Amino acid sequence: MKHLLLLCCVVVAGLSSVSRVEAQANTVFPWPFTGQGDRNVGAAFASRSQVIAQHGMAATSVPLASQIALDILKQGGNAVDAAIAANAALGVMEPTGNGIGGDLFAIIWDPKSRKLYGLNASGRSPMGLTKAMLEDELRQRGVDKIPPFGVLPVSVPGTVDGWYDMHNRFGRLKMRDILAPAITYAREGFPVSQLVAHYISMARDRYLDPEAGVEETDNFVQTYLPGGEPPAEGQIFRNPDLARSLEKIAEGGRDVFYEGEIAEVIDAYMRRLGGYLRKEDLAAHRSEWVEPVSVTYRGYDVFELPPNGQGIAALQQLNILEGFDLRSMGHNSPDYLHVHVEAKKLAFEDRARFYADPEFYKVPLEKLLSKEYAAERRKLISMDRAMTDVDYADPEILEDGDTIYLTVADKDGMMVSLIQSNFRGMGSGLVPDGLGFMLQDRGELFALETGHPNDYAPGKRPFHTIIPAFIMKDGRPIMSFGLMGGGMQPQGHAQIISNIIDFGMNVQEAGDAARYRHDGSSQPTGEHMSDGGVLNVESGVPMPVVEALRAKGHKVRVGKGGFGGYQAILWDAEQGVYKGASEMRKDGLVAGY
């Protein structure tokens, strides 16, 4: 009996100790234990091995969504079916990064036609809001920029139309079967992850702040704050309104969203709040199939989508970097980081001046992506000193929120690179009555400068930050990948490509390696860089490197956050397998079978 009592005391003490550790971990205090474990093989900094599978693979930012994508593949669906299913599920499970109130872009490799297809499913500004009316609204509010929240930055949501365009062209299963898992999780609930719980808490503070200017917040509270509070990690969260909306879309198709019941609810809601988005704007919406554009980087063809997105900034940066021997510099060395950041500054000057809706402005793509233009811009880089003030070039003289990214590959070789977002935060803060999703605030990214390619106009697509990517070689697919995070995305794409091509990292190591993020470049909304901006680096960059960068004139900050979220699937033709990676900075999971 004495030994039994002693054992019970030890067990209770142990449980109490565990409880104390868990309680301490859930406070603002650091863990009592620090340091990273050691890997037996591969790069020491890698969080895990790359995932390898033969028949199909999915990589998303939420583990349950990755499993849904795999289930769709195993039911006979293809990569497009699985990508739509995962995207719908992410709108339920990660509403802080995406949803059917936002926009979508995709690059699809079709093995039958052996061709890459690009889809721009971004929405346009309301036809009933002229620039003069917008400027008058801003004067009444005492501001000179389009606000991030409320009715003014709301543009037409393009996601649902994008789903149906992809499905009509490539889909195999019925849409009701594709959307069924998301509908079930929305109705029955799912356990909220640590990161999403954190982001919903941030959204609560953001939208309920009286200074935020959100015209109506009761619907946000009712939809996303059960009991008036953000859901905690592990709490079962339900969104029955979104389940009903997805059911209507599954049965009624894209027309129920753009011309039917959902469009009518959005119209009535915006009228009540004094907004401008109307049913007619939704009915007039169309997605656009576009040709992906590319540059060669050390023998590989890197593809992005053309503007109104920012994907070609990554291509411009790579064109400039190709003239440097990055491998001999060493990964994340002072010279390596310096030329990467300087190339980014140059590319972002063009991004600020020339990237806009091609229906309103003829973007000089061929000239911006030429090797000759890159060579001229490269001459502006000094190895000794960081640039503080950069001008865009005149191309006629020469002959820049929160997002989800996912990628899926199937047994037939189809690969989908898809990115989707509501833009800043969860979006505008506005949740139409009974629909269960938030409208995006992408219209904040218009300029208000007469003559600027991205100047606001009715029925125009704003400059866009979300960009999917794809790599080919010798006409064969190599890798589908993306990296979330506003202006981080092009410079993140360049880093991933450099990690793999210049340094031979596998897809997981390429994502786990410490990153940089340069902020403060000139913007498509009119701001101009005059002080060199700020170079943010993760703590994995050694302090001697940080000091060497400061000696070159960079303003360097070290810390976590804002470095994006990455997923990738690589096709290894020699071994006949997919190799996948997910993001340690998010809740992501890559899985295959």
Side-chain angles (χ1 to χ4, degrees), residues 542-578:
M543 283 309 298
V545 172
V546 171
E547 295 303 328
L549 289 166
R550 287 172 175 159
K552 292 178 183 287
H554 294 282
K555 294 192 285 287
V556 187
R557 295 176 183 164
V558 182
K560 62 183 179 180
F563 293 93
Y566 154 84
Q567 264 84 231
I569 296 176
L570 181 146
W571 169 246
D572 187 326
E574 184 177 344
Q575 295 182 316
V577 296
Y578 292 115

Side-chain angles (χ1 to χ4, degrees), residues 5 48 102 121 146 228 235 251 261 277 279 293 343 349 387 417 430 455 459 566:
L5 288 173
R48 68 196 87 170
I146 300 173
Q235 181 177 335
E251 296 301 323
E261 181 181 348
L277 189 66
K279 183 178 179 182
V293 293
E349 284 303 313
M387 291 182 285
S417 180
L430 301 175
D455 188 19
Y566 154 84

Side-chain angles (χ1 to χ4, degrees), residues 55 72-82 84 110-112 163-164 166-178 410-414 593:
H55 301 294
I72 293 292
L73 293 179
K74 291 177 181 179
Q75 291 168 21
N78 63 17
V80 163
D81 297 328
I84 295 170
D110 175 36
K112 291 183 180 179
W163 286 352
Y164 275 88
M166 290 191 298
H167 185 260
N168 290 340
R169 190 163 200 167
F170 297 108
R172 187 177 294 165
L173 300 183
K174 293 180 178 179
M175 193 62 102
R176 67 172 65 92
D177 297 324
I178 292 171
D410 66 27
K411 60 182 177 59
D412 298 318
M414 178 177 280
Y593 74 104

Side-chain angles (χ1 to χ4, degrees), residues 214-468:
V214 182
E215 290 84 357
E216 185 275 322
T217 57
D218 289 346
N219 289 355
F220 164 73
V221 172
Q222 180 178 343
T223 303
Y224 295 109
L225 305 182
E229 295 295 331
E233 178 187 359
Q235 181 177 335
I236 302 301
F237 178 80
R238 298 174 178 84
N239 190 340
D241 287 346
L242 182 55
R244 285 188 288 271
S245 293
L246 290 172
E247 284 179 324
K248 292 171 184 174
I249 293 167
E251 296 301 323
R254 55 90 59 203
D255 288 352
V256 76
F257 190 96
Y258 293 96
E259 300 176 31
E261 181 181 348
I262 293 176
E264 291 170 357
V265 172
I266 293 173
D267 183 297
Y269 179 70
M270 293 298 284
R271 288 178 187 272
R272 190 174 89 237
L273 300 186
Y276 296 90
L277 189 66
R278 296 289 181 265
K279 183 178 179 182
E280 291 77 14
D281 297 312
L282 293 161
H285 173 74
R286 67 194 185 281
S287 299
E288 181 183 5
W289 289 101
V290 298
E291 287 291 327
V293 293
S294 68
V295 300
T296 59
Y297 183 74
R298 310 200 199 283
Y300 291 83
D301 298 311
V302 183
F303 286 84
E304 302 273 357
L305 296 183
N308 52 314
Q310 64 174 340
I312 64 170
L315 303 183
Q316 289 191 252
Q317 187 174 346
L318 289 170
N319 266 351
I320 295 170
L321 290 172
E322 195 175 33
F324 296 97
D325 186 354
L326 300 180
R327 186 174 181 84
S328 69
M329 292 177 179
H331 187 261
N332 278 355
S333 68
D335 283 348
Y336 169 89
L337 290 169
H338 174 71
V339 297
H340 255 269
V341 172
E342 299 300 276
K344 178 265 182 183
K345 291 177 185 176
L346 292 169
F348 270 50
E349 284 303 313
D350 291 339
R351 169 184 177 265
R353 178 62 181 83
F354 300 115
Y355 297 11
D357 186 346
E359 292 182 4
F360 286 75
Y361 171 73
K362 184 174 174 55
V363 182
L365 272 177
E366 184 176 349
K367 295 171 183 177
L368 291 174
L369 296 180
S370 71
K371 297 295 185 182
E372 294 78 13
Y373 179 59
E376 290 298 315
R377 299 295 273 171
R378 193 182 301 121
K379 293 176 183 177
L380 299 176
I381 297 177
S382 164
M383 294 304 299
D384 300 322
R385 199 70 191 164
M387 291 182 285
T388 56
D389 191 345
V390 186
D391 284 329
Y392 61 85
D394 183 351
E396 296 304 319
I397 297 174
L398 299 168
E399 295 293 327
D400 198 331
D402 293 310
T403 305
I404 63 94
Y405 173 82
L406 66 90
T407 176
V408 182
D410 66 27
K411 60 182 177 59
D412 298 318
M414 178 177 280
M415 300 176 73
V416 177
S417 180
L418 185 150
I419 196 160
Q420 207 255 297
S421 171
N422 285 4
F423 186 48
R424 187 186 297 276
M426 294 176 68
S428 62
L430 301 175
V431 179
D433 301 328
L435 296 186
F437 64 86
M438 186 178 292
L439 296 170
Q440 66 182 353
D441 49 3
R442 185 64 61 175
E444 183 193 354
L445 287 181
F446 280 114
L448 293 174
E449 177 185 338
T450 301
H452 192 289
N454 189 44
D455 188 19
Y456 178 84
K460 184 175 182 179
R461 292 174 294 191
F463 166 80
H464 239 284
T465 56
I466 59 175
I467 51 175

Side-chain angles (χ1 to χ4, degrees), residues 82-127:
I84 295 170
N87 188 189
L90 288 167
V92 176
M93 300 169 182
E94 193 179 357
T96 52
N98 76 130
I100 57 176
D103 285 344
L104 176 153
F105 292 82
I107 299 176
I108 300 167
W109 167 256
D110 175 36
K112 291 183 180 179
S113 59
R114 298 200 61 76
K115 177 176 166 51
L116 274 183
Y117 295 82
L119 181 66
N120 179 336
S122 62
R124 295 160 177 82
S125 55
M127 288 300 298

